[in-house]
Amino acid sequence: MTDSENDVETGASSDAAVETDAPDVLVLRNGTHGMPVEQYAAAIRDRLPGKTVALARTPADERVAIENARFVTGMTLDEGLLEAAENLEVFACAYAGTGHLPLDALEERNVTVTNASGVHGPNIGEHVLGSILRFTRRFHVGARQQRRREWRHYKAYELQGSTVTIVGLGAIGKAVCERLEPFGVETIGVRYTPEKGGPTDEVIGFEGEAFDEALARTDYLVLACPLTETTRGLIDHEAFTTVDPDAVLVNVARGPVVDTDALVGALRSNRIRGASLDVTDPEPLPEDHPLWTFGNVQITPHNAGHTPNYYERLADIVAENVRRVADEPNATLENQVRP
């Protein structure tokens, strides 16, 4: 056994050295949201008593451990590491998005890919609701006046009776809709297949007059969709011209869903009331970018996905799929995106 093999942490109830046998699950070393990846490995172990869960802590560990691993999970998997994965059958991506993965190479190797869809529903749903309430009651104005020690009334709004358009009805969009239900709002959902319906009062597609008409009567426009050819630049100059000038944009999708120059122009000309941006284009947002300077823009550093329960929810998905693979090698996995 090599020194690298000795460095890989494994075991169901305690850490032990990896022998020549492959672990049931290999966890790669990159964590997310500033949380130690050891927490992720521990959460999987808790759900799979009797299974071997290995955590590779260095690049060398990963290259050695992945050679015989059949089930691997992590934030990313580069092509170099994939080349060393001689027996890989499943890669459980620890992000909801998989566009950063070498998907073509994984498909050529017949590797099944799953994602973390659904993990972010509660926390991003709360982030969106908080953003909407912030602009509804204009807490940012109150905070500014508090810093100045000004006791002066200011105009506020009421969420009840508003129209909220949610672009994207996946796990996040559904979570947003659920949290809005008690507030007495009208909801419009936008999805690729509107005939499937959804949790909103009305469901439309991305194209045609229906989308423009929805923009025209929207008070809060929530973007919770993936970045695709259809959604890239979806909210452009024409969209900002169509949307009600008293509307607020909330983007928890991807920065390029919004045309940044068009957004800056809309803010400068008061064609929208404000924007809450958890994602931007470019990202990170440069220090000298004009979006930092607007008092009616809330910027968070792609932070809506942070939750202390991230690894716990993700481990539920991964553990279930490990069980499915063990029981039936060709079973369809939860959150399967490829093949």
Side-chain angles (χ1 to χ4, degrees):
M1 185 164 53
T2 67
D3 291 340
S4 291
E5 286 172 323
N6 271 318
D7 288 340
V8 179
E9 299 176 4
T10 184
S13 58
S14 62
D15 292 340
V18 171
E19 303 295 339
T20 55
D21 292 337
D24 294 298
V25 182
L26 172 63
V27 181
L28 301 182
R29 61 194 169 92
N30 282 337
T32 189
H33 297 305
M35 297 183 294
V37 72
E38 285 85 357
Q39 293 179 8
Y40 181 33
I44 298 174
R45 289 179 187 133
D46 288 344
R47 289 155 176 78
L48 294 172
K51 298 287 187 182
T52 304
V53 179
L55 171 59
R57 293 301 295 117
T58 70
D61 292 344
E62 288 181 334
R63 288 192 297 272
V64 170
I66 206 170
E67 287 183 7
N68 296 314
R70 296 173 55 225
F71 196 112
V72 176
T73 183
M75 307 297 157
T76 188
L77 177 67
D78 62 45
E79 293 200 41
L81 192 57
L82 178 58
E83 283 296 320
E86 299 177 0
N87 298 290
L88 183 62
E89 296 177 8
V90 178
F91 180 70
C93 181
Y95 289 133
T98 57
H100 62 290
L101 299 177
L103 294 175
D104 291 341
L106 286 161
E107 187 172 3
E108 289 174 5
R109 288 168 164 262
N110 295 316
V111 176
T112 299
V113 178
T114 65
N115 67 9
S117 178
V119 170
H120 286 306
N123 46 295
I124 296 186
E126 292 173 3
H127 183 99
V128 170
L129 182 59
S131 299
I132 290 175
L133 290 173
R134 177 183 187 269
F135 277 95
T136 300
R137 300 309 301 169
R138 301 187 75 201
F139 291 134
H140 56 296
V141 176
R144 184 167 63 242
Q145 292 188 185
Q146 181 179 345
R147 288 193 298 271
R148 297 172 179 172
R149 303 185 183 185
E150 293 178 1
W151 185 275
R152 182 164 54 88
H153 290 289
Y154 56 88
K155 179 182 177 181
Y157 295 80
E158 190 171 297
L159 184 55
Q160 182 172 282
S162 299
T163 298
V164 182
T165 296
I166 305 168
V167 181
L169 292 180
I172 293 171
K174 291 176 182 176
V176 171
C177 190
E178 290 170 0
R179 282 153 181 77
L180 286 170
E181 188 174 353
F183 289 88
V185 300
E186 187 78 12
T187 53
I188 304 171
V190 184
R191 67 185 310 175
Y192 289 105
T193 52
E195 62 273 9
K196 290 184 178 180
T200 51
D201 297 308
E202 181 182 345
V203 181
I204 62 173
F206 283 91
E207 299 175 353
E209 293 183 3
F211 184 71
D212 291 334
E213 290 172 356
L215 288 179
R217 57 191 173 99
T218 293
D219 298 297
Y220 297 92
L221 177 60
V222 178
L223 305 179
C225 54
L227 179 62
T228 66
E229 291 184 5
T230 299
T231 62
R232 183 180 293 274
L234 179 70
I235 309 303
D236 56 9
H237 175 79
E238 288 299 316
F240 284 118
T241 302
T242 303
V243 75
D244 189 296
D246 217 23
V248 172
L249 171 70
V250 181
N251 189 4
V252 292
R254 288 293 183 268
V257 175
V258 177
D259 182 321
T260 301
D261 290 340
L263 171 59
V264 171
L267 289 163
R268 283 175 173 163
S269 58
N270 295 317
R271 290 203 303 273
I272 60 169
R273 177 154 56 96
S276 174
L277 308 174
D278 189 58
V279 290
T280 60
D281 182 28
E283 187 176 308
L285 194 64
E287 291 183 8
D288 60 351
H289 200 281
L291 281 174
W292 290 111
T293 66
F294 292 98
N296 59 341
V297 173
Q298 170 183 281
I299 297 175
T300 49
H302 209 140
N303 207 63
H306 185 272
T307 168
N309 298 316
Y310 189 92
Y311 287 146
E312 295 296 322
R313 295 188 189 123
L314 183 57
D316 286 338
I317 298 170
V318 170
E320 171 59 25
N321 284 336
V322 170
R323 287 188 284 266
R324 290 186 189 184
V325 168
D327 294 341
E328 186 181 344
N330 296 319
T332 299
L333 304 185
E334 186 175 347
N335 284 6
Q336 182 170 327
V337 295
R338 289 287 183 96

